Amino acid sequence: MSTALVTGATAGIGREFAEQLATQGVDLVLVARDEARLAAVAGEISGRHGVAVEVLPADLSDRAQLERVAERLRDAARPVDLLVNNAGYSLNSRFVDSAVEAEEQLLDVLVRAVLVLSHAAATAMVGRGSGQIINVSSVAGLSASGTYAAAKSYVTTFTESLSGQLAGTGVQVMALLPGYVRTEFHERAGIDKGERAGPFWLDAGDLVRQALADSERGRVVSVPSAQYKAIVAVARHLPRAIVRNPRITALHRKPD
């Protein structure tokens, strides 16, 4: 692997992917909305690890800007060997309390961007006979907690489907299903999760290390940590009435 493109690369899981890949000598293409922060992160990583870091500022909810990222993935002269679709956020509100424009923007980032970039990367990778795609989903996709959960459910199912379709092509596709991770995600969404301590709060470094190892092993779905593996195993067999319970559905937004 020589070049990886990571979306949502300036913080949290995306930043950790960039850091760990750079330690392996992988050159990077970093995508995020905040151009100044993106440039700062790129400079830090390049200076620390001696890899080439290209910055590609883009708001993935904007179709023209998303297409620029897709074109970079299609560029045969500068092949991307690993795509990490990580960019995402939560609205932290009930559907009827959100502006429909905000809901559409969320859908564009969490679903449409994953579809478009996966298509661009997969098409190029199949042509070369090699490559990896990691789509960051969530254990929330197993719940019924709003449009964020619905979007992540799509990402997981889409990734599993794409993995099956690309079997034998040399292209590995994996969905990563984190639970709670110590990042900026909840603060940005305005969700108060207290001290963020305990067995269900994961370290981003550990999560990414396992994800990269699982991708190398050819896993289709990666669920980091024994505790979340147990939760996912149980959640897949729960009656839907329990999955729809308000105590579950409020986990990724403010309580009603």
Side-chain angles (χ1 to χ4, degrees), residues 138-143 177-181 198-202 221-240 242-243 248 251-252:
S138 172
V139 296
L142 300 172
S143 73
L177 275 62
Y180 290 138
V181 186
F200 295 107
W201 281 96
L202 306 180
V221 176
S222 173
V223 182
S225 83
Q227 53 271 44
Y228 278 108
K229 282 182 172 65
I231 288 173
V232 167
V234 171
R236 283 176 170 159
H237 298 285
L238 284 175
R240 296 304 294 176
I242 294 177
V243 174
I248 302 297
L251 290 175
H252 289 272

Side-chain angles (χ1 to χ4, degrees), residues 31-176:
V31 179
R33 289 182 300 173
D34 188 330
E35 186 170 0
R37 190 175 184 184
L38 190 60
V41 168
E44 291 171 13
I45 292 176
S46 180
R48 200 160 33 241
H49 304 293
V51 298
V53 184
E54 176 185 344
V55 297
L56 187 49
D59 179 349
L60 299 183
S61 68
D62 181 286
R63 295 196 173 198
Q65 294 183 49
L66 174 63
E67 181 57 25
R68 288 208 311 270
V69 182
E71 283 296 328
R72 178 63 182 85
L73 289 164
R74 297 186 193 106
D75 189 344
R78 298 180 297 162
V80 171
D81 306 285
L82 167 64
L83 165 64
V84 181
N85 271 316
N86 166 77
Y89 63 99
S90 175
L91 289 178
N92 185 25
S93 61
R94 297 190 310 163
F95 182 69
V96 294
D97 295 331
S98 301
V100 71
E101 293 82 5
E103 292 285 357
E104 289 178 311
Q105 188 174 44
L106 182 77
L107 192 70
D108 283 339
V109 174
L110 296 187
V111 173
R112 189 175 188 278
V114 171
L115 182 149
V116 170
L117 299 185
S118 292
H119 187 276
T123 302
M125 290 173 180
V126 168
R128 297 194 301 269
S130 65
Q132 296 178 42
I133 298 172
I134 299 175
N135 290 331
V136 179
S137 186
S138 172
V139 296
L142 300 172
S143 73
S145 55
T147 46
Y148 176 86
K152 291 303 186 180
S153 178
Y154 170 89
V155 170
T156 301
T157 301
F158 165 72
T159 304
E160 290 180 295
S161 174
L162 182 59
S163 176
Q165 291 181 30
L166 298 186
T169 65
V171 181
Q172 162 67 17
V173 186
M174 186 185 82
L176 171 61

Side-chain angles (χ1 to χ4, degrees), residues 64 78 101 186 197 203 218 254:
R78 298 180 297 162
E101 293 82 5
H186 292 93
D203 176 77
K254 292 178 181 176

